[in-house]
Amino acid sequence: MLETGTILFVSFGYMGLLFAIAYYGDKRADAGRSIISNPYIYALSLAVYCTAWTFLGSVGFAVRSGLGFLAIYIGPTLMTMLGWLVLRKIIRISKIHRITSIADFIASRYGKSTTLGGIVTFIAVIGVIPYIALQLKAVSTTFLLISQSTKIGFAEISIFGDTAFYIALILALFAILFGTRHLDAAERHEGLVAAIAFESIVKLAAFLSLGIFVTYVTHNGFADLFHKASLFSDLKKTFTLHTNGQVPGGLEEFLTLNAQGQSYLDWFMLLMLSMLAIILLPRQFQVAVVENVNEEHLNKAIWLFPLYLLAINLFVLPVAFSGMLKFPDGSVDADTFVLRLPMVERQPLLALFVFIGGMSAATGMVIVETVALSTMLCNHIVMPILLRLPIPFFSQRTDFSGLLLAIRRGSIILVLMCGYEYFHFISEFYVSLVSIGLVSFAAVAQFAPAILGGIFWKGATRSGAIAGLIAGFTVWVYTLFLPSLVQAGLIPQEFVNHGPFGIDLLRPFQLFGLMNFDRYGHSFFWSMLFNVAIYVGVSIFSRPRAIDHTQAALFVDVFKYSGEASETQFLRGTAPLPDLRSLLERFLGRKRANEALKNYAVRHNINWDYSLTADAGMVSYAEKLLAGTIGSASARVMVSSIVKEEALGIEEVLNILDETRQVIAYSRDLEKATAELKEANRRLEELDRLKDDFISTVTHELRTPLTSIRSLAEILNANPNIDQKQHENFTGIIIKESERLTRLINVVLDYEKIESAQMTWVIAPVDLKEIIQDAAASTRQLLTDKQVTMDLDLPEISPKVSGDRDRLVQVMVNLISNAVKFCDSDRGFITIRLKPNSDRIQVDVQDNGIGIKPEDQAKIFEKFRQVKDPTRGRPFGTGIGLSITKRIIDFHHGKIWVESEPGRGSTFSFTLPTARE
Amino acid sequence: MTRDEKKNKRLVGLFLLGWVVFNFPILSLFDLDRMIFGIPLLYVYIFGAWALLIVLMALNTGVRASKFKGHTDK
């Protein structure tokens, strides 16, 4: 149908187009006008997730296990919803720390550990090479199919007669040209991304064309196809055609998730696996994180990418049905339906388009994966070894940049050739494309605890990550990798069927007798269980180093510490400038090193002529530059070889990390201060209110005698011949009222004096007994007016106290008049007691008045405070009498208090120290 | 920042919704031998729910962002 020459021409033409697009993309990037800087290209580049496995294998998967294949695409959809939370954080961290691969990310998080970087790289390479092989197998298979070659087994084809070999070579060339153009891997590969995005368009268009053709041209739409399929499966049941495990029993079984050999548990496991794979596969990390131009692109991409997945899966089932109708006996591998259908329908152009689509799905994946893996291999396996070798060739070499490029290019070729070898000798024995893909998914899923734990849990430590990864990987090897070698015949079948040494409990597909999962779910479950448990357990029980603390804080709180300024606080080291310069030159080349240093100088206003040491910020900048080239762990080693690191004690680091706590403490202080201020304000307001009350009280108290004086004076004035007795009576009242006025004003003045500390005190030894008697005498009138009786209970002799006589009289008068005020007329009774003690002398003034409520007892000595009683209305007095009393007693170093019970009277007591003779 | 947080919360909410609708037991409710317009129910359900989630995501992030951009462009 199609000439092999035509197919080859179109294939190589397509590859040529990719080269052109990548070249154009790089040119535009160099000119500063990026063609990939938009969310659409970003989303399309994420679609590198859809490999040949999707393009060809989904149909096969659907034929074997119905709708289960969709889990592999719904998982990523769910993950992108969390993308804003997880992916954005990873992107931000990677941009700040110039992280270039998933190995770099994990190594950097756990204290820039070289060991960890190496382990991750090793797992990634072992886990992903079968996946690369799968792509090559797909290209090779489809090529043989479309060119209608009679040869079926790959083993029979010599390497040099195999298309896949040449495709692998071309892909290696492509990856070298566009993946290792720059040394700084953090300077993204724009051309490469442009080509990948283009490939994503091609594969989607090809699959949609096929789907539409199959559904609407060979059949009459979805409903028709499903109808025919149901008839077919009924038919098949009747005739009981032989089923070799590839064709399911009937449509019902096809469309359920709970059929035999399929369960919701498997669906759940696939969902989990694919959710993790979408961020943990090295190529996904490469396009989603390293090649990300702008964080904001994630915004649109998180729904565009799932849309792409939905579109490419829409026609998988129709194609699968169509294929089953066309090849009902199950003799044709369902993985090839996609290509066989247009060929059987005699549509050479469509077949060619589908072939190209499959090729673009395969090549896109291979290119990105090899670039990602080569970066990891170079930075985390080759460089750490080279830098540690005691060979003068390396340690004294002045320019590493060429060597680095060579290592990276070598790694690309190595990875591709490994993939090719694997495909050629082992993958032929795999049942399906999907099985290889899922093995890889389960391998990279081992990174999940270290990464997700690393960005959300500060307590995770290096030892925990290393132990967890090794444990998970070991389980993976045992439950998936070794059995794959069984299939290839390298290990006897006994191993799978009866376990090693015949121990049934250790059968790799039913470890410890666990039967409920399919082999991928089974492996995923056990490896994750061991991985997470050991990761968490070891983390909890191990002691982190200082740098672990620092990196943990920088990663987990990345949104808080963003920016250079805040980061330098963690750094202490300085380095001699010439050393730093030569270090950069070694790895970046003279030109780029100079450029980088110049940029830094301009930004930070540094004149190199005058400074000979690089400060901490500069050192950190250089380390990041290096990290972009040789990975964070190696960069750390190189930089620390020249840096004079000031002893950075654990205390110091913890102090820095405690900053958060300090901020919290500070804000607590602020809160406390605010509360205090509020309280003070409240008190001021209260005082203000009391002062207002005071003024109105005083005014009232002044006005009452004033009014009576004035009215009496007016009467006297208007009636000159008023009788003598009346006259005397009136003038008597006037005098009394004037005295009252004078007293009031004196009180206010006294108060003012005390307040402003202008009171003059005349201190002399005084006898309290005399004072009490004086006060009683001067208040006699008050008592008789209100018909209150008073009893003095005084001892024969009392010790003297030193004090101001007049003021102490005032105290007694105040207390007596206060007692009188609250006593009822007629039955009021006041007792004054004087009780000399050894060094103090106590005076009680007891009344049987209304008493004071407990809550008011503390307040009554405050100024302007009047105890209000709703039943008695406005109290008399100014509200400062007791306040003055307390001041006076305080001045004499005495104490005053009140004991009272409402309704049973109160006792005011004070003590004064006796005078020393 | 608050807009971001809001967006964050909504997306996490959507994720939880997706987690529920694409897992046992909700999924088993649609796992019936029944056709809708000649298309099996489970097939319609999975693609329908999938599309709905994508639309909700787009509404939450994309559309608003483009509207905002449209303003600044003018």
Side-chain angles (χ1 to χ4, degrees):
Chain A
M1 178 170 66
L2 278 166
E3 292 292 322
T4 310
T6 319
I7 300 163
L8 278 180
F9 177 76
V10 172
S11 313
F12 287 104
Y14 176 71
M15 294 304 290
L17 184 61
L18 281 189
F19 275 84
I21 290 171
Y23 182 73
Y24 178 68
D26 270 349
K27 268 268 145 339
R28 287 284 293 253
D30 290 344
R33 291 191 315 236
S34 172
I35 53 167
I36 66 159
S37 179
N38 66 66
Y40 303 99
I41 300 286
Y42 181 61
L44 282 173
S45 72
L46 288 181
V48 73
Y49 179 70
C50 299
T51 62
W53 166 13
T54 306
F55 197 85
L56 305 166
S58 277
V59 172
F61 196 178
V63 168
R64 271 181 300 277
S65 50
L67 281 173
F69 75 96
L70 281 176
I72 291 168
Y73 306 94
I74 288 173
T77 303
L78 294 178
M79 198 63 200
T80 51
M81 291 178 198
L82 284 184
W84 196 250
L85 209 67
V86 179
L87 205 51
R88 199 168 72 116
K89 195 165 188 180
I90 296 178
I91 291 176
R92 177 70 67 86
I93 292 168
S94 303
K95 282 200 191 310
I96 291 176
H97 298 272
R98 294 213 180 200
I99 279 163
T100 55
S101 67
I102 199 157
D104 203 10
F105 191 92
I106 295 178
S108 182
R109 161 63 180 83
Y110 298 99
K112 308 193 176 177
S113 154
T114 321
T115 326
L116 207 44
I119 293 174
V120 172
T121 305
F122 182 72
I123 296 176
V125 170
I126 299 293
V128 167
I129 277 187
Y131 205 176
I132 292 175
L134 178 153
Q135 311 301 321
L136 296 176
K137 176 188 174 181
V139 173
S140 189
T141 316
T142 49
F143 181 78
L144 288 179
L145 251 177
I146 197 169
S147 59
Q148 289 170 316
S149 167
T150 46
K151 291 176 196 160
I152 296 302
F154 299 113
E156 300 160 23
I157 307 168
S158 78
I159 289 178
F160 298 104
D162 187 358
T163 345
F165 180 71
Y166 295 106
I167 293 284
L169 279 187
I170 292 175
L171 291 178
L173 183 67
F174 187 93
I176 286 170
L177 275 183
F178 298 103
T180 59
R181 222 164 64 95
H182 300 287
L183 242 190
D184 185 346
E187 272 181 30
R188 307 168 321 268
H189 315 103
E190 298 224 340
L192 191 133
V193 174
I196 297 306
F198 174 73
E199 296 217 282
S200 291
I201 299 175
V202 171
K203 66 192 176 200
L204 181 63
F207 201 87
L208 286 181
S209 315
L210 174 73
I212 290 167
F213 172 78
V214 164
T215 314
Y216 292 101
V217 179
T218 49
H219 302 275
N220 287 322
F222 278 93
D224 178 48
L225 198 53
F226 281 112
H227 179 64
K228 282 179 189 163
S230 67
L231 290 182
F232 162 73
S233 56
D234 287 345
L235 197 75
K236 206 170 52 126
K237 263 188 209 153
T238 338
F239 287 96
T240 52
L241 275 168
H242 77 286
T243 46
N244 57 2
Q246 287 217 344
V247 181
L251 187 71
E252 309 87 60
E253 209 164 290
F254 205 114
L255 283 163
T256 183
L257 292 168
N258 210 8
Q260 218 170 10
Q262 269 285 300
S263 68
Y264 293 111
L265 204 56
D266 293 338
W267 166 274
F268 173 82
M269 284 295 172
L270 278 182
L271 218 55
M272 291 292 290
L273 261 180
S274 57
M275 271 181 72
L276 296 178
I278 192 67
I279 46 173
L280 299 177
L281 281 170
R283 68 169 189 283
Q284 292 304 134
F285 194 89
Q286 181 78 24
V287 289
V289 178
V290 181
E291 306 285 357
N292 173 276
V293 182
N294 185 342
E295 234 174 73
E296 291 301 309
H297 293 170
L298 208 53
N299 238 337
K300 265 212 176 78
I302 58 170
W303 64 270
L304 280 173
F305 173 56
L307 191 63
Y308 184 99
L309 294 180
L310 185 137
I312 208 164
N313 277 298
L314 203 52
F315 289 105
V316 168
L317 219 47
V319 172
F321 281 143
S322 213
M324 283 162 70
L325 291 172
K326 210 77 189 178
F327 312 105
D329 55 354
S331 63
V332 167
D333 183 3
D335 281 346
T336 60
F337 279 179
V338 172
L339 195 56
R340 279 189 203 264
L341 279 172
M343 286 170 69
V344 171
E345 299 287 345
R346 305 244 151 247
Q347 296 286 337
L349 276 181
L350 185 61
L352 196 59
F353 189 30
V354 168
F355 169 70
I356 293 293
M359 200 166 87
S360 61
T363 53
M365 180 275 182
V366 173
I367 290 166
V368 182
E369 203 83 85
T370 45
V371 168
L373 284 182
S374 78
T375 310
M376 282 158 75
L377 273 173
C378 168
N379 288 355
H380 298 282
I381 294 204
V382 182
M383 281 317 282
I385 293 173
L386 283 190
L387 293 176
R388 278 176 176 73
L389 281 183
I391 302 173
F393 173 74
F394 294 114
S395 49
Q396 285 165 17
R397 208 180 157 93
T398 51
D399 188 358
F400 263 100
S401 53
L403 182 70
L404 268 174
L405 275 180
I407 293 172
R408 219 163 272 184
R409 287 169 184 163
S411 313
I412 287 179
I413 294 174
L414 180 77
V415 168
L416 267 169
M417 286 307 116
C418 282
Y420 180 77
E421 281 305 299
Y422 190 90
F423 143 66
H424 210 260
F425 294 112
I426 296 179
S427 77
E428 192 185 341
F429 301 96
Y430 268 92
V431 182
S432 65
L433 296 176
V434 170
S435 60
I436 306 179
L438 284 178
V439 170
S440 290
F441 274 28
V444 295
Q446 304 310 322
F447 303 146
I451 287 201
L452 298 179
I455 62 174
F456 291 111
W457 182 37
K458 275 189 204 169
T461 67
R462 188 175 67 113
S463 342
I466 291 178
L469 272 174
I470 290 177
F473 180 66
T474 311
V475 175
W476 173 83
V477 166
Y478 187 75
T479 52
L480 279 182
F481 191 73
L482 291 184
S484 83
L485 297 181
V486 172
Q487 279 172 313
L490 297 177
I491 294 178
Q493 186 67 33
E494 279 296 288
F495 176 69
V496 169
N497 292 350
H498 302 291
F501 317 112
I503 305 170
D504 258 9
L505 223 49
L506 293 180
R507 277 178 299 170
F509 288 151
Q510 288 92 28
L511 196 59
F512 309 126
L514 184 71
M515 304 278 215
N516 306 47
F517 298 96
D518 65 4
R519 62 179 70 167
Y520 312 106
H522 170 264
S523 171
F524 178 60
F525 171 77
W526 281 122
S527 58
M528 272 298 135
L529 185 72
F530 280 99
N531 191 335
V532 171
I534 291 176
Y535 170 70
V536 173
V538 174
S539 286
I540 290 172
F541 288 105
S542 62
R543 257 185 88 88
R545 300 166 304 162
I547 186 169
D548 296 349
H549 268 303
T550 313
Q551 290 301 102
L554 286 177
F555 272 54
V556 175
D557 296 327
V558 61
F559 292 109
K560 202 165 80 196
Y561 292 123
S562 286
E564 244 169 84
S566 62
E567 202 191 324
T568 45
Q569 62 178 338
F570 293 104
L571 304 161
R572 288 288 185 279
T574 56
L577 193 58
D579 291 2
L580 198 69
R581 182 187 289 271
S582 72
L583 182 68
L584 285 178
E585 281 174 5
R586 272 172 83 186
F587 290 98
L588 300 179
R590 184 176 291 272
K591 193 168 143 249
R592 289 199 44 229
N594 274 335
E595 254 169 44
L597 286 177
K598 211 185 285 168
N599 280 343
Y600 186 85
V602 169
R603 236 179 332 136
H604 294 258
N605 233 343
I606 300 171
N607 191 341
W608 294 135
D609 300 338
Y610 296 110
S611 66
L612 277 172
T613 38
D615 62 359
M618 170 89 204
V619 170
S620 133
Y621 174 72
E623 188 179 329
K624 275 189 193 144
L625 274 180
L626 282 179
T629 307
I630 57 175
S632 54
S634 302
R636 175 94 200 145
V637 173
M638 293 318 297
V639 167
S640 57
S641 70
I642 59 159
V643 162
K644 284 183 229 131
E645 204 129 7
E646 286 160 30
L648 184 66
I650 186 98
E651 293 277 316
E652 218 170 340
V653 175
L654 285 178
N655 280 343
I656 298 163
L657 296 178
D658 267 354
E659 196 205 29
T660 330
R661 215 175 297 160
Q662 283 166 19
V663 169
I664 293 170
Y666 179 63
S667 79
R668 280 215 192 105
D669 284 352
L670 271 182
E671 270 169 27
K672 221 161 93 191
T674 316
E676 275 166 11
L677 274 177
K678 262 190 197 150
E679 174 61 21
N681 193 38
R682 201 190 55 72
R683 283 217 310 273
L684 274 179
E685 275 170 8
E686 173 80 359
L687 269 183
D688 198 40
R689 194 183 60 74
L690 289 173
K691 205 157 203 162
D692 284 350
D693 282 0
F694 170 69
I695 286 172
S696 78
T697 315
V698 167
T699 324
H700 175 81
E701 293 282 313
L702 288 176
R703 187 168 289 161
T704 322
L706 215 67
T707 316
S708 63
I709 290 170
R710 186 177 166 191
S711 50
L712 289 173
E714 272 170 4
I715 294 170
L716 288 178
N717 191 30
N719 306 298
N721 30 8
I722 200 164
D723 70 71
Q724 187 64 28
K725 202 165 172 228
Q726 193 88 353
H727 194 272
E728 271 173 20
N729 191 12
F730 281 3
T731 45
I733 295 174
I734 291 176
I735 291 165
K736 227 173 86 185
E737 290 296 295
S738 318
E739 280 169 353
R740 190 171 148 196
L741 263 182
T742 316
R743 262 204 320 274
L744 246 167
I745 291 166
N746 278 341
V747 166
V748 176
L749 287 178
D750 278 354
Y751 174 75
E752 195 51 44
K753 269 190 199 156
I754 291 181
E755 275 294 280
S756 53
Q758 281 173 345
M759 178 87 89
T760 45
W761 303 82
V762 185
I763 307 295
V766 288
D767 188 352
L768 266 183
K769 203 167 128 190
E770 272 176 44
I771 288 173
I772 293 171
Q773 280 161 344
D774 279 6
S778 64
T779 51
R780 197 153 305 274
Q781 186 63 36
L782 204 64
L783 290 159
T784 37
D785 281 357
K786 227 180 158 196
Q787 297 183 331
V788 172
T789 48
M790 183 161 71
D791 180 33
L792 300 185
D793 179 6
L794 308 173
E796 287 300 306
I797 26 165
S798 71
K800 292 193 170 174
V801 298
S802 65
D804 188 316
R805 189 171 197 287
D806 291 348
R807 297 298 157 207
L808 288 175
V809 171
Q810 193 184 352
V811 166
M812 284 315 297
V813 169
N814 277 349
L815 288 180
I816 293 169
S817 49
N818 194 58
V820 171
K821 235 188 279 176
F822 293 102
C823 279
D824 289 329
S825 301
D826 311 339
R827 43 180 218 87
F829 189 81
I830 298 171
T831 313
I832 299 178
R833 260 180 240 105
L834 184 64
K835 292 189 277 185
N837 288 334
S838 55
D839 58 339
R840 308 212 136 229
I841 184 159
Q842 181 175 345
V843 178
D844 295 341
V845 180
Q846 187 181 5
D847 65 59
N848 62 346
I850 52 165
I852 303 159
K853 280 183 245 154
E855 65 263 33
D856 290 332
Q857 288 179 11
K859 290 186 195 160
I860 54 170
F861 295 107
E862 289 173 22
K863 54 189 164 182
F864 309 139
R865 183 68 70 174
Q866 290 170 311
V867 176
K868 283 191 181 134
D869 183 350
T871 58
R872 289 171 72 110
R874 192 184 188 91
F876 9 60
T878 51
I880 51 175
L882 281 176
S883 172
I884 291 174
T885 305
K886 182 170 165 31
R887 297 282 176 127
I888 294 171
I889 298 293
D890 284 348
F891 179 84
H892 287 93
H893 309 290
K895 226 179 100 190
I896 185 163
W897 70 94
V898 65
E899 284 160 11
S900 175
E901 218 176 295
R904 309 183 86 179
S906 14
T907 307
F908 282 83
S909 313
F910 66 88
T911 56
L912 289 175
T914 48
R916 271 164 286 162
E917 315 255 324
Chain B
M1 205 58 205
T2 40
R3 240 191 81 192
D4 258 16
E5 275 166 16
K6 213 181 237 170
K7 196 190 276 180
N8 235 334
K9 277 183 193 147
R10 284 190 194 143
L11 282 170
V12 172
L14 267 182
F15 166 77
L16 294 175
L17 176 71
W19 189 250
V20 170
V21 301
F22 284 125
N23 260 314
F24 185 82
I26 300 294
L27 209 53
S28 70
L29 300 181
F30 297 88
D31 203 348
L32 302 171
D33 188 12
R34 191 181 293 169
M35 299 281 187
I36 289 183
F37 305 117
I39 301 170
L41 178 65
L42 187 62
Y43 191 79
V44 173
Y45 170 71
I46 289 183
F47 276 94
W50 197 353
L52 186 74
L53 281 178
I54 292 172
V55 168
L56 287 177
M57 266 199 279
L59 282 181
N60 184 30
T61 57
V63 171
R64 193 159 308 158
S66 67
K67 233 186 227 166
F68 186 71
K69 206 178 164 194
H71 266 294
T72 50
D73 282 353
K74 277 166 209 168

